[in-house]
Amino acid sequence: KGAAKPATAAAAKDEKKVHQPAPGVVAATPTAVAAAKKAGIDVMSLFPGSGSLGRVTADDVKLATGEKKAEKPKRPVAPGAVPLDLPDGLTPFSTMQRAVSKNMELTLTVPIFRVSREIYMDKFDALYQAVKPKGVSVSALLAKAVALAVEKYPVMNSSYDASGGTLFKEDINVAMAVAIDGGLITPTLRNANECTITEIGESWRDLVDKAKRNALSPEEYNTGTIAISNLGMFGVSQFDAILPPGMGTILAVGGTQTVVVPDDSAVLGLRKAKRMTVTVTCDHRNIYGADAALFLKELADIMENRVHVLLL
């Protein structure tokens, strides 16, 4: 019993003192009174407030109207750990982010369709390992493969024209989506079908470097005729991409996964294989489902059976 009194006294000392105002007395700061009147709130309905002796403050009114959020209790942090500080509130878009947002909205009126296909990557991956020491990236090889498939099915490189027709484009300019600090940009490999894989690799390194330094010229990012978005390096297995304005096709590339497939020549009739899922998004006004299916069939044939053409 003797120890209970000091504890009770300490608790009473820590408890915030609240003064009960006399009848007719408004226990609020003048700023709080004005803010409450403007918001149509009875200021005394917020009593006791956070001020001295329970006075209602302007912050109390802001909390009541939702203009200000109540502070959350701080989460306990383990010794040596860095406190978690999550962002909160509106962050205005940068110029690039506004442009990306506007472009995404423009595509909402386009009637699109999507087609997916699995591609076995064993031979493609072996080729990549062989050319990697020469500075050739997966992106460069993908761009070349897509460009060669477009040569056979050029409608995939076309776009819808408002006059009511299909606008074909002789140049095959492959735009590759790149995430950079504060936005997204699509450096373009121009005439990718006519360049060697080494030339494409060099151009791609230069374009990515410029993109990170915000030094791309307009013709280096707004001349694409077909686009590729690759999220495979992030472990994404499959996704759909949004069609960029002015284009008829964008190819979404997922990551390569190891799977077990039937093989009559293998022990137990099974073997491991590397497989990737790609999804093409097309403008249905000028490109049809059969066009997309045939294009993906040609792309798969190049990457599965004819990887040597990427070196020509």
Side-chain angles (χ1 to χ4, degrees):
K1 289 183 178 180
K5 289 184 178 180
T8 304
K13 183 178 180 180
D14 291 339
E15 185 179 352
K16 185 176 180 180
K17 293 182 179 180
V18 176
H19 172 71
Q20 189 63 39
V25 175
V26 178
T29 66
T31 307
V33 172
K37 183 177 180 181
K38 183 178 180 180
I41 297 175
D42 177 7
V43 71
M44 287 307 291
S45 68
L46 306 178
F47 182 85
S50 60
S52 176
L53 300 178
R55 296 183 77 193
V56 179
T57 66
D59 280 346
D60 296 325
V61 179
K62 290 179 180 179
L63 288 170
T65 59
E67 184 180 346
K68 181 178 179 180
K69 291 183 179 180
E71 291 186 8
K72 294 181 179 179
K74 291 186 177 181
R75 181 188 301 178
V77 179
V82 178
L84 183 63
D85 186 16
L86 295 175
D88 186 38
L90 175 67
T91 299
F93 278 168
S94 65
T95 301
M96 178 180 292
Q97 288 172 322
R98 285 196 296 270
V100 171
S101 176
K102 183 178 179 180
N103 285 340
M104 296 301 99
E105 290 176 353
L106 289 173
T107 65
L108 294 177
T109 59
V110 177
I112 61 165
F113 70 94
R114 298 182 175 96
V115 178
S116 298
R117 182 181 177 112
E118 293 176 341
I119 298 177
Y120 288 94
M121 299 291 291
D122 299 83
K123 293 182 180 180
F124 183 90
D125 187 60
L127 175 64
Y128 167 61
Q129 296 301 327
V131 298
K132 182 179 179 181
K134 300 178 182 179
V136 177
S137 64
V138 171
S139 296
L141 287 171
L142 281 172
K144 180 72 173 184
V146 166
L148 292 180
V150 165
E151 283 187 335
K152 188 169 183 178
Y153 298 101
V155 70
M156 304 300 290
N157 198 50
S158 70
S159 61
Y160 170 77
D161 190 86
S163 64
T166 300
L167 180 62
F168 285 93
K169 300 153 188 176
E170 182 181 14
D171 294 338
I172 302 176
N173 300 333
V174 181
M176 306 275 285
V178 173
I180 59 176
D181 187 24
L184 176 73
I185 199 164
T186 52
T188 303
L189 292 163
R190 288 173 285 182
N191 300 304
N193 57 316
E194 299 175 359
C195 300
T196 67
I197 195 61
T198 303
E199 291 171 340
I200 293 175
E202 292 175 353
S203 296
W204 184 242
R205 288 196 303 274
D206 181 57
L207 288 169
V208 171
D209 177 66
K210 286 183 178 180
K212 291 179 178 179
R213 294 186 288 108
N214 196 27
L216 288 171
S217 62
E219 60 268 20
E220 289 177 320
Y221 65 83
N222 65 9
T223 54
T225 56
I226 186 170
I228 298 175
S229 180
N230 184 4
L231 294 180
M233 70 285 291
F234 298 111
V236 174
S237 57
Q238 188 271 337
F239 71 104
D240 301 330
I242 297 178
L243 189 66
M247 295 189 199
T249 303
I250 182 170
L251 182 74
V253 180
T256 299
Q257 297 178 318
T258 300
V259 296
V260 177
V261 297
D263 187 344
D264 293 336
S265 63
V267 178
L268 301 178
L270 298 172
R271 67 175 175 87
K272 288 184 178 180
K274 296 178 180 179
R275 191 171 65 192
M276 174 181 75
T277 300
V278 296
T279 302
V280 68
T281 301
C282 302
D283 187 335
H284 212 334
R285 293 173 296 186
N286 59 296
I287 300 173
Y288 301 144
D291 298 321
L294 289 170
F295 165 76
L296 289 182
K297 181 180 179 181
E298 177 68 12
L299 180 63
D301 188 42
I302 291 172
M303 298 177 72
E304 291 177 351
N305 306 312
R306 297 187 289 123
V307 291
H308 64 277
V309 301
L310 301 178
L311 301 177
L312 300 179

